Amino acid sequence: MSKAHTLTITGIERHTLSILVDNEAGVLARVIGLFSSRGYNIDSLTVAEVTHDRGISRITIVTSGTPAVIEQIKAQLERLVPVHSVADLTVQGPHVEREMALVKVAGAGDKRVEALRLADIYRARVVDATTSSFVFEVTGSSEKVDTFIDLMRELGLIEVVRTGIVAIARGASGL
Amino acid sequence: MYGEPIPGAEIIVQALIDLGVEVVFGYPGGAVLPIYDAIFKQNRIRHILVRHEQGAAHAAEGYARATGKPGVVLVTSGPGATNAVTGIADAMMDSIPMVVLTGQVATHLIGNDAFQECDTVGITRHCSKHNYLVKDVDRLGDVIHEAFYIATNGRPGPVVVDIPKDIQIARATYRKPAKIEHKTYRPTIKGELADIEAAIELMANARKPILYTGGGIINSGPQAAQLLRELQRVTGFPVTSTLMGLGGFPATSPAFLGMLGMHGTYEANLAMHDSDVMVCLGARFDDRVTGRTDAFAPNAKKIHVDIDRSSINKNIMVDIGIVGDVGRVMEDMIRIWKSKGLTARKLDDWWGQINQWRARQCLAFRQEGSEILPQHAIVRLFEATKAREPIITTEVGQHQMWAAQYFGFDKPNKWLTSGGLGTMGYGLPAAIGAQLGNPNALVIDIAGEASILMNIQEMSTAKQFELPVKVFILNNEYMGMVRQWQDLTYEGRYAHSYSEALPDFVKLAEAYGWTGLRINDISELDAGIKTMIETPGPVMVDCRVAKLENCFPMVPSGAAHNEMLLGPEQVVGALSEAAQALV
Ligand SMILES: Cc1ncc(C[n+]2csc(CCOP(=O)(O)OP(=O)(O)O)c2C)c(N)n1
Ligand SMILES: [Mg+2]
């Protein structure tokens, strides 16, 4: 369920970038610092090592800006020494974006039953339960996660933690 | 089988020797004592003891800029590293190859607020091209080699290597690595031929072309300056240069329009504004060059050659961007131009227009009476020294702009100035570095009386190493450039821009073991300059100049190129708030 994240509100576009970096000390600080020092937006950021043997991490950044700013962001990222490659998934074609959230809801009676029913509809799994609370694990597009969290608000939402977006291109080829 | 393990400090020194380093600018302290001991035990590398770590960094910049080789700095942890930061940031802005070795507290103390600890890699992360904290002595030798590779390849810049004290003591085997192939850092050197062909197509049909050249010509090496001459010769195009590019093309050539930008010439700026094809070679459309970006060269098709892809379309959108080394790209341009049977374009109308602009004589001034005009002092200095092809460094301010306007450079690596960061205090240490790299050259720091005080302690360094640098102070008793902006923007309210309580520069020179001279008025000017040049050893000249002279032409911040102020009568005294907000 991919979609072109190309909002054209006053020319501002939303792009999802995949960045392969050497997993060395300070690399994340370099990337994040580049965004803050040059005034670029970070809407979402995730990072984890993906090839242990070669020590490479993959950073997924969702950012927004005018087309010129997006081009600058990519060029500036490529300039960082530990960066192997920068891919703009939004430009490259169809891709899948997923996010996971853990959602804690407390309540009793009807509200508790309703929370469980909605969780079922949203394919959220119960990963912790007490007599007065649940923790749900919900995965999907950011919009789906947003909606689920909104629904839980009326039903005793206590807290939320989200991973941020991970994304991958559709089809057979890789970065 | 690479021999006995040796301490990290010796690995560092051996690596520097293997890299061909001859000079290191440094200042000792607790966290680098092992490296200093290793330096003490050898005689291949010369250590130049500065008097402040900022001086070490600027000296390394001056050395690099004047020789084309990377400058090397060695400082201790904490205050040693923080003192060097201004010079690191300066080298970053001006793309100067430099490697800075900083001591760090022992690895087990890092993060404990140990004595003289600071987060050097954190502090320098965004003002260096790259940096390292070496936590494993087995990596140390490779890291030093890699640091030099990164500092000197692609767009040059400063690389910081932070080395904890225990790593300097721990042992490892060292071997000189084979040719470095960095796993991620692979700068693009050769430009895309299709883009170069397209550029030639535009150039061949241009009616009002201009070559807009920058510091990349200097960084690419002396052959790039040769290629630029050749490119100009085969195309017949006029040439202008940024502050950083001066000397990349001969100032004496009739095709040279002078410097462009905020204090550039009338003809250079108007030719940029009116051009129909602009070829930017190793420059970066800095705001000091473009003025108001939405009014910048509105009718020009723009071609931009830069080794750094992020410079292309950063400030100004261009029609053809070519990523590559400017020397290599010019080589291809010349080849393709010739292979198409193209010859130097006549461009009579264009030159006619340019010559009309030239006739305005925007740099003319009237030296009358006995008070020396600073412009005149520079013209006389130029006339008296040009046969010796001196290396000129500057501080920052009006004197810097006047030097850029009135001192002609025909060769690269002769003009050393802090362009991007605009660092007062750059000139004297840079002159020291340049002199070390060119022992027989005449090296002159054209200084302001305010700037020179910012790294005045380096006079002691010049004395110790018998470096015959000359400091020529245009003493107007004002932070003249600040005062000029106060004239322009704040109706002449001179808030703290008067140089109060100045030292007696002649006595100061003598106190440092230099020769001190004073030039009071026009009758003493030529003789004073002559004495300065002929006196062996370091000389400081306190040249008293007109106090209230301002630097023109000027494109005020936020104005377009064709809205230049040509003289003081055009200074209005107040600016809109929007314009005031610009620097
Ligand atoms: C380190 C630093 N601090 C402040 C400034 C701002 N600044 C730019 S020019 C200038 C005045 C320089 O005065 P002087 O050296 O006498 O040169 P002049 O303009 O009079 O020729 C100042 C304060 C700067 N460029 N660098
Ligand atoms: Mg002054």
Side-chain angles (χ1 to χ4, degrees):
Chain A
M1 87 121 246
S2 91
K3 51 194 182 94
H5 276 298
T6 336
L7 307 177
T8 30
I9 308 160
T10 63
I12 302 286
E13 298 177 357
R14 184 166 173 274
H15 283 239
T16 303
L17 309 179
S18 265
I19 309 152
L20 292 181
V21 297
D22 266 342
N23 184 15
E24 63 181 37
V27 64
L28 190 58
R30 254 179 244 287
V31 170
I32 294 174
L34 185 137
F35 277 75
S36 61
S37 68
R38 293 187 184 264
Y40 307 143
N41 299 312
I42 299 182
D43 298 338
S44 164
L45 181 144
T46 58
V47 58
E49 192 170 73
V50 288
T51 58
H52 183 63
D53 50 333
R54 286 161 58 216
I56 289 177
S57 291
R58 180 161 172 156
I59 301 176
T60 307
I61 292 187
V62 181
T63 183
S64 47
T66 61
V69 167
I70 301 284
E71 279 310 304
Q72 257 302 299
I73 292 174
K74 290 188 268 182
Q76 293 289 349
L77 284 168
E78 278 171 1
R79 210 156 80 108
L80 299 178
V81 170
V83 168
H84 287 258
S85 65
V86 180
D88 186 339
L89 297 180
T90 306
V91 169
Q92 286 180 358
H95 62 279
V96 186
E97 293 191 3
R98 286 291 179 271
E99 195 179 358
M100 188 188 89
L102 297 175
V103 182
K104 184 178 285 184
V105 179
D110 285 353
K111 288 197 167 173
R112 186 169 157 86
V113 176
E114 181 63 7
L116 207 53
R117 211 178 61 81
L118 284 168
D120 192 40
I121 294 170
Y122 278 80
R123 303 225 169 99
R125 294 202 307 140
V126 176
V127 291
D128 179 67
T130 67
T131 53
S132 59
S133 70
F134 290 118
V135 174
F136 297 114
E137 174 197 314
V138 60
T139 305
S141 69
S142 297
E143 291 74 11
K144 173 182 160 184
V145 172
D146 287 346
T147 322
F148 181 72
I149 292 166
D150 273 348
L151 288 170
M152 288 301 121
R153 260 180 237 293
E154 294 172 29
L155 302 174
L157 182 72
I158 302 293
E159 61 176 341
V160 176
V161 55
R162 301 172 71 144
T163 56
I165 290 168
V166 292
I168 201 162
R170 287 181 182 274
S173 58
L175 287 187
Chain B
M1 293 298 105
Y2 304 122
E4 288 297 295
I6 55 171
E10 284 175 29
I11 292 178
I12 294 167
V13 171
Q14 191 54 50
L16 294 180
I17 292 170
D18 287 348
L19 284 155
V21 172
E22 290 162 7
V23 190
V24 170
F25 300 92
Y27 206 93
V32 282
L33 285 177
I35 306 176
Y36 269 83
D37 196 47
I39 285 179
F40 188 85
K41 289 192 239 161
Q42 58 81 52
N43 55 17
R44 300 275 294 279
I45 292 175
R46 194 165 172 215
H47 178 271
I48 303 299
L49 179 71
V50 294
R51 299 301 186 267
H52 185 292
E53 291 87 351
Q54 184 189 354
H58 293 321
E61 286 187 272
Y63 177 87
R65 190 89 183 150
T67 63
K69 296 186 257 180
V72 184
V73 175
L74 172 61
V75 297
T76 194
S77 64
T82 55
N83 273 349
V85 166
T86 301
I88 296 169
D90 194 274
M92 183 69 178
M93 287 289 260
D94 285 345
S95 309
I96 309 294
M98 177 160 100
V99 173
V100 181
L101 308 173
T102 55
Q104 182 56 277
V105 300
T107 34
H108 71 276
L109 291 173
I110 290 178
N112 285 5
D113 297 328
F115 179 62
Q116 294 196 328
E117 178 185 359
C118 74
D119 178 7
T120 301
V121 287
I123 291 169
T124 60
R125 186 167 291 129
H126 300 293
C127 63
S128 62
K129 184 174 172 186
H130 193 48
N131 63 17
Y132 301 84
L133 169 61
V134 184
K135 286 182 162 173
D136 174 2
V137 69
D138 288 325
R139 287 272 299 136
L140 183 57
D142 285 353
V143 166
I144 304 278
H145 282 269
E146 203 177 287
F148 276 78
Y149 175 84
I150 289 171
T152 53
N153 281 272
R155 179 175 179 173
V159 177
V160 177
V161 185
D162 198 26
I163 310 159
K165 197 172 180 185
D166 54 327
I167 301 295
Q168 300 168 31
I169 293 162
R171 286 168 185 266
T173 52
Y174 165 77
R175 82 195 149 94
K176 185 179 171 182
K179 198 173 171 297
I180 296 228
E181 274 261 353
H182 196 270
K183 57 182 164 174
T184 49
Y185 187 67
R186 303 268 168 78
T188 307
I189 303 301
K190 203 171 154 25
E192 286 285 343
L193 273 182
D195 294 333
I196 301 176
E197 299 256 6
I200 295 293
E201 188 64 33
L202 281 180
M203 290 161 70
N205 294 304
R207 284 167 45 241
K208 301 195 254 175
I210 187 157
L211 302 179
Y212 150 41
T213 67
I217 302 284
I218 318 280
N219 277 336
S220 178
Q223 71 288 354
Q226 285 303 322
L227 288 162
L228 175 58
R229 279 189 199 211
E230 176 70 0
L231 183 66
Q232 192 287 322
R233 197 183 62 77
V234 299
T235 59
F237 290 1
V239 179
T240 180
S241 167
T242 65
L243 180 72
M244 292 308 291
L246 294 177
F249 188 78
T252 44
S253 163
F256 190 58
L257 309 186
M259 179 173 77
L260 82 166
M262 184 172 276
H263 291 291
T265 66
Y266 188 65
E267 51 270 33
N269 283 333
L270 286 191
M272 286 287 281
H273 189 83
D274 272 18
S275 63
D276 66 350
V277 173
M278 173 187 298
V279 188
C280 170
L281 300 165
R284 59 183 175 93
F285 295 95
D286 170 87
D287 56 83
R288 282 292 184 272
V289 157
T290 60
R292 218 176 89 200
T293 47
D294 59 359
F296 176 71
N299 303 316
K301 291 273 184 215
K302 300 177 187 83
I303 300 160
H304 187 184
V305 182
D306 203 298
I307 198 154
D308 179 356
R309 176 158 101 85
S310 74
S311 286
I312 294 172
N313 292 331
K314 182 169 68 181
N315 300 336
I316 296 286
M317 294 306 257
V318 298
D319 299 275
I320 302 178
I322 303 170
V323 182
D325 175 78
V326 70
R328 288 287 290 278
V329 173
M330 284 192 295
E331 218 177 318
D332 285 337
M333 283 180 157
I334 295 163
R335 189 175 45 72
I336 295 170
W337 183 273
K338 286 180 176 166
S339 74
K340 289 192 189 296
L342 296 163
T343 49
R345 306 282 311 282
K346 274 249 179 319
L347 307 169
D348 287 336
D349 290 351
W350 185 221
W351 279 110
Q353 172 67 71
I354 288 171
N355 287 333
Q356 274 180 28
W357 291 325
R358 275 178 164 161
R360 286 292 295 261
Q361 299 200 322
C362 68
L363 293 179
F365 57 88
R366 217 174 284 145
Q367 170 65 50
E368 292 167 328
S370 64
E371 192 179 55
I372 302 173
L373 285 188
Q375 301 93 315
H376 182 69
I378 293 188
V379 169
R380 297 313 300 161
L381 182 66
F382 173 54
E383 292 299 333
T385 59
K386 65 181 177 191
R388 295 186 53 183
E389 301 188 332
I391 295 173
I392 300 294
T393 73
T394 74
E395 307 292 334
V396 171
Q398 291 179 321
H399 63 276
Q400 175 192 30
M401 291 300 122
W402 282 317
Q405 291 173 331
Y406 294 96
F407 211 101
F409 297 92
D410 282 354
K411 290 189 179 161
N413 306 100
K414 303 286 186 194
W415 166 248
L416 284 50
T417 197
S418 171
L421 200 64
T423 310
M424 293 169 69
Y426 168 88
L428 173 55
I432 287 172
Q435 188 82 72
L436 272 156
N438 299 272
N440 300 318
L442 173 62
V443 182
I444 306 170
D445 172 23
I446 297 179
E449 84 295 333
S451 297
I452 192 65
L453 290 176
M454 284 216 179
N455 272 318
I456 195 75
Q457 74 287 344
E458 299 307 325
M459 292 180 77
S460 181
T461 309
K463 181 65 187 171
Q464 178 182 347
F465 296 94
E466 297 178 332
L467 300 170
V469 296
K470 317 296 178 196
V471 174
F472 191 79
I473 304 172
L474 292 176
N475 184 348
N476 55 6
E477 290 180 24
Y478 275 101
M479 297 173 197
M481 191 56 92
V482 173
R483 199 213 56 232
Q484 174 161 349
W485 281 56
Q486 289 168 337
D487 278 332
L488 211 68
T489 318
Y490 301 102
E491 298 169 311
R493 289 186 296 278
Y494 296 161
H496 304 280
S497 55
Y498 182 66
S499 289
E500 200 92 44
L502 282 174
D504 178 329
F505 285 108
V506 174
K507 284 190 188 154
L508 185 73
E510 285 160 2
Y512 275 108
W514 287 37
T515 303
L517 298 172
R518 181 163 293 118
I519 297 173
N520 288 298
D521 60 38
I522 198 80
S523 67
E524 299 171 3
L525 182 60
D526 286 344
I529 291 172
K530 190 161 184 285
T531 313
M532 174 185 86
I533 304 166
E534 287 173 358
T535 306
V539 183
M540 176 169 270
V541 180
D542 179 15
C543 181
R544 299 308 188 95
V545 297
K547 295 193 202 332
L548 297 177
E549 193 64 15
N550 281 340
C551 183
F552 293 101
M554 178 172 190
V555 182
S557 271
H561 272 169
N562 58 350
E563 302 168 339
M564 295 192 87
L565 309 177
L566 285 171
E569 65 286 351
Q570 287 175 286
V571 172
V572 281
L575 284 182
S576 71
E577 281 185 15
Q580 277 184 31
L582 297 166
V583 277

